[in-house]
Amino acid sequence: MANDKDKEKVKFMYQDGETVLCYHGPLLYEAKCVRSEIRNKVAHYLIHYSGWNKSWDEWVTCPRVLKYNEENLKKQQELLATHGTSKIASKIKSNSRKHVNSMLEKNADLEKLTQEERENKKKKQKVEDSSDMIDNYKIQSEIKIKIPQDLQQILFEDYENILNNKLVSLPASKSIKEILEDYTNCKLEKKFDKNIITEIVEGIKDYFDTAISCRLLYNAEKNQHTELMKNSNKKPNEIYGIVHFLRLLAKMGELLSYTFWDEVCIKQLVFYIEDVIMYLNEQKSSLFTSKMYESQSQR
């Protein structure tokens, strides 16, 4: 804790409760200074990002906080134009299929092998394909995506249902497309940037459509998927619902690890993806029901 002499030397630039702009990655977000304190003779501010879940609250220092005024609002828009839709949000949409497919193809081949064959192939690939890997995409440490405990429990129950010969009833009563439309409307009501939210949502749908057949189905579900897609002109995100969507979000860290995107871009995408997850957690009582599954004998 700071002593009285420290308090005299350190001047707080922002007051508790004051609306400010705060950097998160390359962008500026509207936020509120919840409280302030002195740490190691430096003023620190607890920041809450407007419209975001409290789990994103963080302590920051002056370089990341700006006054909420006309000049800085203009700066916010300039950064958004430079790093926003064109540099960050659109990446998840425009590049998702290429890099997810690249990763899926390699992993689909590996899954057909025994454990020993798999390890040997991985080692061989690492040597033979290293130059190609560098040119095309970067395998990073797996990106961590936070999944709330309640949603983890739902994933576990989903696995148990599959083991008990139950499948998710499809087409879903509420599709991923519809869920994301509701999410978009919720964000727009809170004055989020429409272009960024739209690009993020479109990118997530594209990820799902790409990953569903290779990474999001148990073996027992693959015939069901083939039949559904053969008899429909709809995209998978218009057929599948919350259960398979949650499976995707739980794997997003793995999928994002297979990209050439820089750390700042990844951080921003995780910011939005975890916000979608928080939204699902808040809506879980209406989205998840026991009636979503049916016994295979009923089909």
Side-chain angles (χ1 to χ4, degrees), residues 13 40 42 48 76 86 91 121 127 145 218 268 294:
M13 300 294 295
N40 298 321
V42 177
H48 172 71
Q76 180 191 40
S86 61
K91 283 181 180 290
K121 187 172 179 65
V127 175
I145 302 288
Y218 292 101
Q268 290 301 115
E294 59 181 2

Side-chain angles (χ1 to χ4, degrees), residues 126-281:
K126 186 174 182 181
V127 175
E128 293 181 352
D129 298 339
S130 59
S131 59
D132 178 66
M133 200 177 290
I134 293 169
D135 290 339
N136 290 288
Y137 62 89
K138 176 184 177 184
I139 300 180
Q140 308 180 45
S141 300
E142 183 168 334
I143 310 300
K144 299 298 182 183
I145 302 288
K146 298 174 189 174
I147 305 289
Q149 190 64 41
D150 287 349
L151 297 187
Q152 290 183 35
Q153 179 62 31
I154 288 168
L155 284 169
F156 176 73
E157 292 170 1
D158 172 46
Y159 175 66
E160 285 196 319
N161 279 320
I162 299 298
L163 289 182
N164 291 321
N165 293 316
K166 293 181 180 180
L167 299 182
V168 179
S169 299
L170 296 171
S173 58
K174 191 163 194 174
S175 69
I176 294 170
K177 179 182 178 181
E178 292 170 324
I179 293 168
L180 286 171
E181 284 173 353
D182 290 346
Y183 168 77
T184 298
N185 291 334
C186 175
K187 295 290 109 176
L188 294 182
E189 286 177 5
K190 295 181 179 181
K191 309 301 182 184
F192 277 56
D193 183 87
K194 183 177 180 179
N195 289 331
I196 287 185
I197 293 299
T198 299
E199 294 286 0
I200 292 291
V201 164
E202 289 302 311
I204 289 174
K205 289 191 292 187
D206 199 36
Y207 259 106
F208 182 84
D209 292 343
T210 304
I212 179 63
S213 61
C214 296
R215 296 299 288 173
L216 305 180
L217 297 177
Y218 292 101
N219 287 333
E221 299 175 296
K222 290 182 179 178
N223 286 338
Q224 181 191 40
H225 174 75
T226 300
E227 291 174 15
L228 280 168
M229 300 314 299
K230 181 173 63 177
N231 299 315
S232 175
N233 58 1
K234 292 183 177 180
K235 294 181 178 181
N237 73 78
E238 298 173 290
I239 297 174
Y240 287 86
I242 186 60
V243 173
H244 291 86
F245 187 25
L246 185 55
R247 291 183 198 174
L248 170 73
L249 295 171
K251 288 182 175 289
M252 282 301 292
E254 175 189 353
L255 296 176
L256 290 177
S257 298
Y258 287 78
T259 71
F260 60 77
W261 304 335
D262 59 45
E263 185 178 349
V264 170
C265 180
I266 292 289
K267 186 176 181 180
Q268 290 301 115
L269 291 176
V270 170
F271 188 80
Y272 284 100
I273 289 165
E274 289 190 345
D275 188 65
V276 173
I277 292 171
M278 290 296 182
Y279 171 80
L280 297 183
N281 194 44

Side-chain angles (χ1 to χ4, degrees), residues 45-63:
Y45 305 93
L46 178 60
I47 293 296
H48 172 71
Y49 296 98
S50 301
W52 293 97
N53 189 281
K54 286 185 178 180
S55 64
W56 287 101
D57 290 6
E58 59 179 339
W59 286 95
V60 302
T61 54
C62 262

Side-chain angles (χ1 to χ4, degrees), residues 66-102:
L66 299 178
K67 286 288 185 181
Y68 190 90
N69 56 34
E70 187 174 341
E71 179 183 354
N72 290 330
L73 285 170
K74 183 179 179 182
K75 184 178 183 65
Q76 180 191 40
Q77 292 304 310
E78 290 172 351
L79 290 171
L80 187 61
T82 304
H83 299 286
T85 304
S86 61
K87 297 293 183 181
I88 295 175
S90 63
K91 283 181 180 290
I92 196 172
K93 180 174 183 292
S94 63
N95 293 322
S96 61
R97 186 167 298 276
K98 175 183 175 183
H99 295 285
V100 173
N101 274 336
S102 184

Side-chain angles (χ1 to χ4, degrees), residues 27-45:
L27 300 180
L28 278 168
Y29 294 87
E30 182 178 329
K32 179 179 286 187
C33 176
V34 179
R35 69 175 186 270
S36 55
E37 61 182 53
I38 299 169
R39 298 179 182 179
N40 298 321
K41 300 182 180 181
V42 177
H44 285 67
Y45 305 93

